[in-house]
Amino acid sequence: MNNNPIGIFDSGVGGLSVLQQIRRRLPLENFIYVADSAFAPYGDKPELWVEQRCIDITRFLTDQQAKAIVLACNTATAAAVSRLRSLFDQPIVAMEPAIKPAAGLSRSRVVGILATAGTIASEKYSRLINRFQHDCRFISQPCPGLVEEIEQGQLNSAAIEILLQKYITPLLDQHADTLVLGCTHYPLIAEQIKSIAGRSVNVIDGNAAVAAELERQLLQHQLSNSSTSQGAPVEQFWSSGNPASASGIFTRLWNNTVQASRLPAELMQE
Ligand code: DGL
């Protein structure tokens, strides 16, 4: 039994969509969440920059005694997961776009994938697509601007609606009947995506699979917390963005009052 926190991070608030699933599955665990909002989006930054940033944030989380790390960002996973696993002893659980389940679900055999330019350009992503493209067509759709809008916390904004129309319509025109949300920010606007795509289109993400994998890894490494004796489990929130506006956005998206702390000064420089 181990009641140390699990560290979870993303370029911003997108990883909250992953934390929601994890919290449901692991009600007794404590969490430290880092949103690197001052440096979002990661999707248009060089891979090596993202890798170094992920190392620095993971070090911060392990300094806070994190017993496991969840890389709740597809772009960061593509850029950094191998290096993180070679540098840190803690289990590192990372994202994978839900390509395999999408290939299983699609009847039209056309799947649209919404992701960042960084994820789509990565080698890891190409390898994943190659594994399943023998009998299914995958259309990769980068979505510039979407993460920045979601970071504002106004999930029903007209700007988001316009961007979604622009990115989803061409996929539907090419008969995609399944959409993969390949960026952890996008499940936060799943309802808007579904309403544009229509009821006959499957909209899926990899968040539940990550929660299941985290549970499996905690059990395997005997790191689970099964004790209820130290009171209610907690989530602590940190951000590289302005703490007051970060607290407001977290509070809205997490449905609970959140006081975000600012990351230490050494993490505030590029
Ligand atoms: N949530 C990140 C992802 O899953 C967003 C990337 C970004 O900051 O561009 O890819």
Side-chain angles (χ1 to χ4, degrees), residues 10-11 14-15 40-44 72-76 116 119 147 182-185:
D10 176 43
S11 63
Y42 282 179
D44 55 11
C73 175
N74 290 268
T75 313
T116 68
T119 296
V147 164
C183 165
T184 54
H185 279 72

Side-chain angles (χ1 to χ4, degrees), residues 15 24 177 192 200 222:
R24 243 173 261 151
D177 71 350
Q192 291 88 317
S200 60
Q222 298 180 322

Side-chain angles (χ1 to χ4, degrees), residues 235-237 243-244 246-252 254-261:
E235 297 101 18
Q236 285 176 46
F237 293 87
S247 300
I249 294 171
F250 278 132
T251 296
R252 208 159 338 123
W254 192 243
N255 251 332
N256 226 328
T257 306
V258 169
Q259 277 304 348
S261 308

Side-chain angles (χ1 to χ4, degrees), residues 1-7 28-30 61-62 64-69 89-92 218 221-226:
M1 208 222 33
N2 182 321
N3 63 10
N4 283 4
I6 294 163
L28 299 179
E29 298 292 345
N30 301 304
L61 289 167
T62 55
Q64 314 296 307
Q65 312 306 321
K67 62 184 176 182
I69 301 292
D89 294 334
Q90 290 80 357
I92 301 206
L218 293 176
H221 296 276
Q222 298 180 322
L223 289 171
S224 305
N225 184 29
S226 49

